[in-house]
């Protein structure tokens, strides 16, 4: 496969002659800086007053295996239980710091660059980096939160911020120089962490890449995932739709909608244009080529999303986009009796995080009521500090920050609609956000990667170039084993120019639809996407106090 390429448009008018020389990718050419101390001596550093609690350095070891360049790996803890890991290049650091996010409910401190893995300063090992377990270890069932309000706060926002403070202090001590530029990249909950940083700590990072953000955490991990399971459950407890039916549905969707973008390639460039009706697959006889009315009903409800009995939406419209059906095994079982991932996601949150001071270890999905009253009762206790929905990023913009939002259209975990609504609300709140924020939607990409479309991409280099040389992100090339395809800032899409292979990104041009799709944000929780919604809770006598 050819190496990934990122093509950026010409520097903006704000670029000046005072900017440093740049690489072809638009990154500043920064002198390499050598350490002023040995890795072993790092364990003796005192980091008092760096953050809001005691910092303990447990180990500092030079790592040479499986890395493009040796680094000093520092591990430690920010009290009470926020574990961090920092990597400091020992043979020349090019003055950049990258912090990576952590997915799911986290609980482990492992640096994972994800869709930033092909960024040049990552591949050559010249960047300092760090991550955190966000204040707890393991226990993906959420039980770590029971009776532990500080762990809930650390997971919500404090752990990432405190780690940024400590990592920068370690960098300054190790090189006698602070980072010239600091960046954050993450996907899924890492994307939520990214937005939380832009919203709550606008000075921590110069550039942020936020992928498939679980920004609407309290709704995502309750009504969204619970609906995935319960809307497919018959009165006797069996699953109505099983995974062996998904290829049939997917084939029918492609037959109806694949050509809408002018190219039949197995990928929907904008699934919102697809008007597929599952009822067209219904037949009256048992057949492998059609669906029962009950199965078709499940497909419709999974696409549309959670509602109450009156049809009022308990999550944004379009929970799962057309074209993503092959990814639905996240919540559609292969056999009766199988426990699907969506059930585990929902129970982890509903039992231990939805109500911060009242753990409910025996809670079952059947206890959740799909009503407006239940929605607010379930969502409000935790959403104001766990969700990252404040659309006013004025402080981040004023600090010079740049934000690249991105999402895969085939995401089976988190609907792209959540990110679209956030972006639209930013624009209504702030006006022209294009000066500091861009949104990319990747056709065929599943959750954070994978899927039917080109699904490997460098999301970090465009952010770095924007920060360091003023080049606004434009065309980004995504790749799979057999195909490359350009993706442009929303709402612009790629269109085949009619020449050459349709698997080659070089044969596509930018096209901005004259009549753009209006995203439907009419749902019960619409007001959650509002400025001033977030709170700063405290841990007091074993309880979380808002």
């Amino acid at each position: 496969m050819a190496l990934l390429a990122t093509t950026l448009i010409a520097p903006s008018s704000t670029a000046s002659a005072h900017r440093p020389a740049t690489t072809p990718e638009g990154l500043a050419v920064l002198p390499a800086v050598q350490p002023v101390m040995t890795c072993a001596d790092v364990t003796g550093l005192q980091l008092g007053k760096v953050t809001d609690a005691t910092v303990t350095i447990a180990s500092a070891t030079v790592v040479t295996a499986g890395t493009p360049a040796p680094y000093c790996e520092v591990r430690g803890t920010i009290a009470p239980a926020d574990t961090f890991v920092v990597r400091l290049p020992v043979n020349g650091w090019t003055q950049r710091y990258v912090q990576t996010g952590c997915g799911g409910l986290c609980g482990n401190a492992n640096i994972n660059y994800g869709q930033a893995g092909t960024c040049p300063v990552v591949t050559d090992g010249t960047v300092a980096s760090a991550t955190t377990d966000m204040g707890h270890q393991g226990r993906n069932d959420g039980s770590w939160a029971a009776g532990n309000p500080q762990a809930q706060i650390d997971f919500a926002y404090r752990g990432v911020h405190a780690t940024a403070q400590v990592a920068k202090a370690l960098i300054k001590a190790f090189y006698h120089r602070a980072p010239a530029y600091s960046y954050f990249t993450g996907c899924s909950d890492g994307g939520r962490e990214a937005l939380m940083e832009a919203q709550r700590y606008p000075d921590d990072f110069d550039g942020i890449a936020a992928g498939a953000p679980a920004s609407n955490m309290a709704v995502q991990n309750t009504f969204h995932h619970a609906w995935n399971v319960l809307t497919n459950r018959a009165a006797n407890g069996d699953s109505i739709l099983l995974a062996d039916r998904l290829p049939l549905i997917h084939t029918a969707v492609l037959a109806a909608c694949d050509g809408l973008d002018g190219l039949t390639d197995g990928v929907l460039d904008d699934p919102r244009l697809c008007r597929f009706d599952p009822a067209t697959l219904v037949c009256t006889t048992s057949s492998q080529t059609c669906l029962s009315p009950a199965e078709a009903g499940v497909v419709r409800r999974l696409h549309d999303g959670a509602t109450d009995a009156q049809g009022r939406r308990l999550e944004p419209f379009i929970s799962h986009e057309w074209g993503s059906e092959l990814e639905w095994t996240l919540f559609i079982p292969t056999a009766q009796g199988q426990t699907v991932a969506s059930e585990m996601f929902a129970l982890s949150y509903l039992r231990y995080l939805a109500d911060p001071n009242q753990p409910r270890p025996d809670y079952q999905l059947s206890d959740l009521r799909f009503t407006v009253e239940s929605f607010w009762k379930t969502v409000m206790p935790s959403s104001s500090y766990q969700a990252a929905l404040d659309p006013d990023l004025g402080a981040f913009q004023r600090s010079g920050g740049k934000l690249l939002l991105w999402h895969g259209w085939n995401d089976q975990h988190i609907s792209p609609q959540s990110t679209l609504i956030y972006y639209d609300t930013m624009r209504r709140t702030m006006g022209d956000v294009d000066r500091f924020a861009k949104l990319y939607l990747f056709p065929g990409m599943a959750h954070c990667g994978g899927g039917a479309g080109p699904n490997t991409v460098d999301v970090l280099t465009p952010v770095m170039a924007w920060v360091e040389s003023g080049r606004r992100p434009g065309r980004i090339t995504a790749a799979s084993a057999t195909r490359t395809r350009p993706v442009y800032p929303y709402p612009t899409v790629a269109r085949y120019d009619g020449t050459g292979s349709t698997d080659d990104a070089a044969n596509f041009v930018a096209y901005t639809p004259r009549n753009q799709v209006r995203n439907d944000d009419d749902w019960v929780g619409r007001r959650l996407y509002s400025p001033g919604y977030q709170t700063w809770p405290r841990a007091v006598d074993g309880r979380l106090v808002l």
Side-chain angles (χ1 to χ4, degrees):
M1 181 183 72
L3 292 177
L4 295 182
T6 302
T7 304
L8 302 164
I9 64 174
S12 68
S13 59
T14 58
S16 75
H18 299 292
R19 294 189 183 277
T22 60
T23 68
E25 297 88 0
L27 307 188
V29 177
L30 300 173
V33 176
Q34 300 300 322
V36 297
M37 61 192 305
T38 68
C39 183
D41 287 341
V42 172
T43 57
L45 290 174
Q46 301 299 313
L47 300 178
K49 299 183 179 180
V50 166
T51 186
D52 60 358
T54 301
V55 179
T56 302
I57 299 176
S59 64
T61 308
V62 174
V63 176
T64 58
T67 178
Y71 58 81
C72 175
E73 182 177 272
V74 184
R75 291 187 175 269
T77 303
I78 304 166
D82 198 320
T83 301
F84 64 84
V85 56
V86 180
R87 294 177 182 174
L88 305 170
V90 296
N91 289 338
W93 165 61
T94 51
Q95 304 181 53
R96 295 178 181 88
Y97 168 58
V98 172
Q99 187 167 325
T100 67
C102 188
L105 295 183
C106 200
N108 61 86
N110 295 306
I111 293 171
N112 180 4
Y113 295 107
Q115 295 285 12
T118 56
C119 176
V121 296
V122 171
T123 59
D124 69 13
T126 63
V127 67
S129 55
T131 196
T132 172
D133 65 4
M134 301 175 70
H136 66 275
Q137 294 74 51
R139 291 183 290 170
N140 287 329
D141 63 354
S143 60
W144 52 266
N148 195 342
Q150 187 59 54
Q152 296 180 48
I153 294 170
D154 284 0
F155 173 73
Y157 55 84
R158 174 184 174 264
V160 173
H161 171 60
T163 297
Q165 292 177 306
V166 170
K168 291 179 184 180
L170 284 169
I171 289 169
K172 190 169 184 179
F174 196 63
Y175 301 106
H176 273 190
R177 185 172 298 192
Y181 303 106
S182 297
Y183 302 97
F184 189 94
T185 182
C187 190
S188 193
D189 194 72
R192 179 190 69 90
E193 299 155 31
L195 288 180
M196 196 70 86
E197 278 290 310
Q199 294 163 13
R200 291 179 182 257
Y201 305 102
D203 296 324
D204 275 359
F205 298 101
D206 302 296
I208 291 174
S215 53
N216 199 0
M217 168 70 78
V219 176
Q220 171 74 27
N221 281 0
T222 56
F223 289 90
H224 170 77
H225 279 299
W227 179 264
N228 285 346
V229 179
L230 296 176
T231 201
N232 188 33
R233 188 169 288 175
N236 67 356
D238 283 350
S239 297
I240 299 167
L241 185 70
L242 293 178
D244 63 353
R245 312 297 273 159
L246 298 179
L248 167 68
I249 302 162
H250 183 64
T251 298
V253 169
L254 293 184
C257 300
D258 192 9
L260 292 177
D261 54 20
L263 192 62
T264 303
D265 58 355
V267 173
L268 307 186
D269 273 12
D270 188 341
R272 298 172 301 173
L273 299 173
C274 182
R275 297 292 183 263
F276 176 71
D277 184 358
T280 60
L281 285 175
V282 171
C283 63
T284 56
T285 60
S286 177
S287 171
Q288 294 301 309
T289 61
C290 58
L291 300 178
S292 70
E295 289 172 326
V298 170
V299 174
R300 169 56 68 186
R301 294 192 299 274
L302 287 171
H303 171 271
D304 291 358
T307 66
D308 68 1
Q310 290 72 45
R312 290 173 292 193
R313 298 174 187 160
L314 303 180
E315 64 174 315
F317 179 57
I318 308 183
S319 180
H320 304 286
E321 300 285 352
W322 295 130
S324 67
E325 298 78 25
L326 297 182
E327 313 298 338
W328 290 10
T329 52
L330 182 79
F331 43 87
I332 301 297
T334 57
Q336 297 294 348
Q338 177 189 358
T339 300
V340 293
S342 276
E343 182 167 3
M344 295 185 286
F345 296 152
L347 288 177
S348 296
Y349 199 89
L350 286 162
R351 287 174 174 172
Y352 298 107
L353 288 160
D355 191 331
N357 296 315
Q358 296 293 331
R360 302 170 290 185
D362 297 323
Y363 194 98
Q364 300 298 322
L365 290 191
S366 56
D367 297 326
L368 184 64
R369 297 290 176 260
F370 286 82
T371 66
V372 173
E373 179 184 11
S374 173
F375 176 89
W376 291 114
K377 183 178 179 180
T378 302
V379 168
M380 287 311 293
S382 63
S383 186
S384 66
Y385 62 94
Q386 294 282 4
L389 299 174
D390 190 336
D392 186 357
L393 299 186
F396 181 68
Q397 181 185 17
R398 289 189 294 273
S399 74
K402 308 299 182 188
L403 172 66
L404 192 152
L405 278 166
W406 62 275
H407 213 126
W409 272 121
N410 280 18
D411 195 319
Q412 71 275 38
H413 284 256
I414 301 170
S415 174
Q417 294 296 324
S418 179
T419 300
L420 280 162
I421 290 173
Y422 181 74
Y423 184 73
D424 284 348
T425 309
M426 279 178 55
R427 293 174 66 90
R428 287 196 298 271
T429 303
M430 301 181 64
D432 179 16
V433 301
D434 287 345
R435 292 169 292 176
F436 82 100
K438 301 286 186 182
L439 168 62
Y440 287 81
L441 297 166
F442 292 91
M445 183 188 286
H447 185 60
C448 297
N455 50 53
T456 302
V457 64
D458 176 4
V459 296
L460 186 55
T461 301
V463 177
M464 289 182 170
W466 201 0
V467 168
E468 297 175 22
S469 67
R471 293 190 185 183
R472 295 187 182 186
R475 174 186 176 117
I476 294 178
T477 300
S480 63
T482 60
R483 178 184 295 172
T484 59
R485 187 66 58 85
V487 181
Y488 297 92
Y490 176 81
T492 299
V493 295
R495 284 291 178 265
Y496 179 52
D497 66 9
T499 63
S501 171
T502 58
D503 292 331
D504 188 344
N507 300 323
F508 288 78
V509 295
Y511 170 74
T512 302
R514 180 173 300 177
N515 297 315
Q516 297 174 17
V517 178
R518 180 184 178 275
N519 298 305
D520 189 343
D521 64 353
D522 183 13
W523 70 293
V524 168
R526 179 179 180 180
R527 67 181 174 88
L528 297 177
Y529 291 78
S530 60
Y533 159 67
Q534 294 179 317
T535 59
W536 297 80
R538 296 173 295 121
V540 180
D541 298 329
R543 294 181 62 81
L544 190 141
V545 179
L546 295 174

